[in-house]
Amino acid sequence: MNDKVDQYFSKERIHHLEQLSALLRIASISALSAHKADMGQAAEWIADALTQAGLEHVAIMPTKGNPVVYADYLHSPGKPTVLIYGHYDVQPVDPLDLWDNDPFDPTIRDGKIYARGASDDKGQVFMHIKAIEALLKTTHALAVNVKFCIEGEEEIGSVHLPLFVEEQKALLAADVLVISDTTMLGPNAPAICYGLRGLCGLQIDVQSAKSDLHSGLYGGAVPNALHGLVELLATMHTKEGAVAVQGFYDDVVPLTDDERKELASLPHDDEEYRKGLGLPSLFGEPGYSTVERYMARPTLELNGVYGGFQGEGTKTVIPARAHAKITCRLVNNQDPVHIIELIEEHVKSHTPVGVTAKVTRFDTGRPFVTSFDSAAIRSAAKAYEVGFGVKPYYMRMGGSIPIVEVFDRVLHIPVVLMGFGLPDENFHAPNEHFSLDNFDRGLRTLAYYYEHLDTI
């Protein structure tokens, strides 16, 4: 580690935390239109931070939704160009009553900073900006060229970024893409993510009669929409936990022996995992370990099932309508649109007599997998060793960042997913927080990475 850079981080730590807190105070919730002004304020804050760090050509670039913030520093001819991606939007904060502090009033306690966006993803974006700033302030040069692409719609599916990437392909051209929006395996257990699951979402609406009916006058003589929906949903899985939709697994690329060996080496204990979740037992697709199931196998999950009377007490009705929300996590080479089509066919062929079923399509995102033996990833592994003092693990992540596949497909560059969050930091949930130990070590990890990524 460069001593001047290390000293810079130590000297500026309090100031950096004050700056991060200022960013976290901006309620940049992309899902809620009432926060449109906050989205603009967050973009301006990021642009100003990039300018103050010494970046050039800083621009807030419009899209049909929230703007993208771009900046670059291109003064290392013959050296690689790194594209740094992140997002400044955050999730809604509900339920507010479960927060121990105002989600947009950052609070530091027990070595953690609590606020919405602290871990996902403002804290991690901020670290990249400060790592580049430290290098420019102390060495007045970079060993690589850098470009920033920070968007404001990741939490709503990066709706407008794919078109932006297509249209700005030349501007965003680079040799490697670096993203910090994933997690480590645990404290002092850094991990490089080499695969992300894709996703698709849909809703099933079942209808029987034209309105709810009195269960005494009509019970036993008419179909019940809730009964029909439950019967339909039960056909989507085997009793052992595999997805029973015909063709669902047809395009799945099997895990290689090397991958299974790497995943088996991760520090995971089924019994601790079970107890930590408060479960009586674990469950899942036969033939695969727990780690393989949640990192590298496809799923079909019910996210919500509802219909009929749901208030206090009882109401003797036969529901005429019932609904289910479903998401699938997908692996290579599953096409999310094709998976929805297969589910639609399944619904058609398994809808019970007496009810009708309609499918509404929601968001889709393609899976991403890369080799974990590329030069850019090896450099990231070395940087983690310097910053954390241990070798990182290699893992897939069960979650989805759909835009990663777009960058991969459009720009044709290796992708390095080096995150600094922890799995239990409550991103998307009340009391989101970010470990300040990982903040400190992560800054040094990133600075080392950008200092030594001179050949890839």
Side-chain angles (χ1 to χ4, degrees):
M1 165 63 66
N2 184 316
D3 288 341
K4 289 184 179 180
V5 172
D6 184 59
Q7 292 167 10
Y8 181 85
F9 287 136
S10 297
K11 177 184 176 183
E12 295 293 323
R13 187 177 191 266
I14 293 176
H15 184 218
H16 285 167
L17 291 178
E18 291 172 346
Q19 290 178 310
L20 175 58
S21 295
L23 174 60
L24 294 173
R25 289 190 185 99
I26 303 172
S28 49
I29 304 172
S30 54
L32 302 179
S33 58
H35 290 274
K36 188 68 176 178
D38 295 315
M39 300 306 302
Q41 183 184 355
E44 291 173 2
W45 197 100
I46 293 291
D48 183 64
L50 289 165
T51 300
Q52 295 301 317
L55 277 294
E56 300 173 341
H57 307 114
V58 179
I60 299 176
M61 305 182 68
T63 71
K64 291 184 178 180
N66 297 319
V68 172
V69 184
Y70 173 85
D72 62 36
Y73 193 86
L74 309 175
H75 295 284
S76 299
K79 297 297 184 179
T81 296
V82 182
L83 177 63
I84 302 166
Y85 163 82
H87 62 93
Y88 61 83
D89 64 323
V90 300
Q91 282 277 330
V93 298
D94 312 82
L96 188 58
D97 62 314
L98 295 183
W99 284 81
D100 293 332
N101 59 278
D102 184 319
F104 295 110
D105 184 14
T107 301
I108 294 176
R109 59 181 184 271
D110 301 324
K112 304 166 186 174
I113 184 166
Y114 286 80
R116 173 57 89 227
S119 181
D120 180 21
D121 181 40
K122 288 180 178 177
Q124 301 198 63
V125 167
F126 182 81
M127 289 164 61
H128 282 274
I129 297 174
K130 292 303 163 182
I132 296 300
E133 176 184 284
L135 292 169
L136 288 175
K137 298 292 186 184
T138 59
T139 67
H140 309 290
L142 294 178
V144 293
N145 304 291
V146 297
K147 298 179 179 180
F148 280 82
C149 176
I150 312 299
E151 67 152 323
E153 296 184 339
E154 196 275 343
E155 299 293 5
I156 54 173
S158 299
V159 184
H160 299 100
L161 193 59
L163 179 60
F164 180 88
V165 174
E166 291 275 6
E167 292 178 342
Q168 302 296 336
K169 182 177 179 180
L171 180 70
L172 300 176
D175 298 295
V176 61
L177 172 67
V178 177
I179 301 174
S180 294
D181 197 13
T182 53
T183 67
M184 310 198 318
L185 277 173
N188 208 42
I192 295 173
C193 179
Y194 67 91
L196 297 162
R197 290 196 287 196
L199 81 161
C200 62
L202 56 101
Q203 178 169 315
I204 300 175
D205 300 299
V206 168
Q207 182 161 352
S208 53
K210 61 183 179 181
S211 66
D212 290 355
L213 299 171
H214 190 291
S215 66
L217 297 178
Y218 294 93
V222 299
N224 182 313
L226 271 173
H227 293 185
L229 178 61
V230 170
E231 183 180 338
L232 171 60
L233 297 177
T235 67
M236 292 189 173
H237 292 87
T238 66
K239 290 182 179 181
E240 293 76 24
V243 178
V245 174
Q246 185 173 356
F248 184 83
Y249 294 105
D250 285 358
D251 296 325
V252 173
V253 177
L255 291 168
T256 66
D257 291 342
D258 285 345
E259 282 184 286
R260 300 195 81 167
K261 182 178 179 180
E262 191 67 40
L263 294 177
S265 74
L266 299 181
H268 171 90
D269 180 274
D270 267 7
E271 186 61 12
E272 288 184 8
Y273 184 75
R274 181 193 68 78
K275 288 181 179 178
L277 296 173
L279 291 169
S281 63
L282 298 178
F283 178 77
E285 183 186 4
Y288 296 92
S289 70
T290 300
V291 171
E292 290 170 343
R293 289 170 184 160
Y294 72 71
M295 282 190 181
R297 292 296 295 171
T299 67
L300 187 157
E301 298 289 356
L302 305 180
N303 307 129
V305 179
Y306 56 101
F309 179 66
Q310 299 176 57
E312 184 179 356
T314 184
K315 183 181 182 183
T316 54
V317 295
I318 298 172
R321 296 175 181 83
H323 317 274
K325 294 183 183 292
I326 294 174
T327 52
C328 299
R329 297 290 178 168
L330 309 175
V331 300
N332 59 321
N333 285 328
Q334 288 180 299
D335 181 339
V337 174
H338 179 56
I339 293 299
I340 291 181
E341 291 171 349
L342 292 176
I343 296 173
E344 288 173 335
E345 287 299 316
H346 183 94
V347 169
K348 284 181 183 179
S349 60
H350 290 80
T351 298
V353 174
V355 300
T356 60
K358 173 189 174 184
V359 174
T360 301
R361 301 183 181 192
F362 292 151
D363 294 347
T364 62
R366 298 184 67 89
F368 167 80
V369 177
T370 189
S371 168
F372 52 81
D373 194 36
S374 70
I377 286 181
R378 288 198 302 270
S379 293
K382 177 61 178 176
Y384 270 128
E385 284 190 62
V386 171
F388 286 81
V390 295
K391 291 184 177 181
Y393 295 96
Y394 295 93
M395 69 175 191
R396 292 197 192 193
M397 195 174 83
S400 305
I401 310 176
I403 197 61
V404 172
E405 186 276 335
V406 176
F407 278 119
D408 178 55
R409 173 167 41 84
V410 175
L411 300 182
H412 306 292
I413 56 177
V415 179
V416 179
L417 297 163
M418 49 190 308
F420 300 94
L422 294 174
D424 61 355
E425 288 183 335
N426 291 1
F427 29 85
H428 295 205
N431 295 317
E432 178 180 351
H433 56 277
F434 190 33
S435 163
L436 295 184
D437 182 57
N438 286 349
F439 175 80
D440 293 331
R441 295 187 185 199
L443 284 170
R444 290 157 174 81
T445 300
L446 291 173
Y448 183 91
Y449 185 63
Y450 293 129
E451 272 188 298
H452 295 86
L453 189 67
D454 54 357
T455 57
I456 55 175

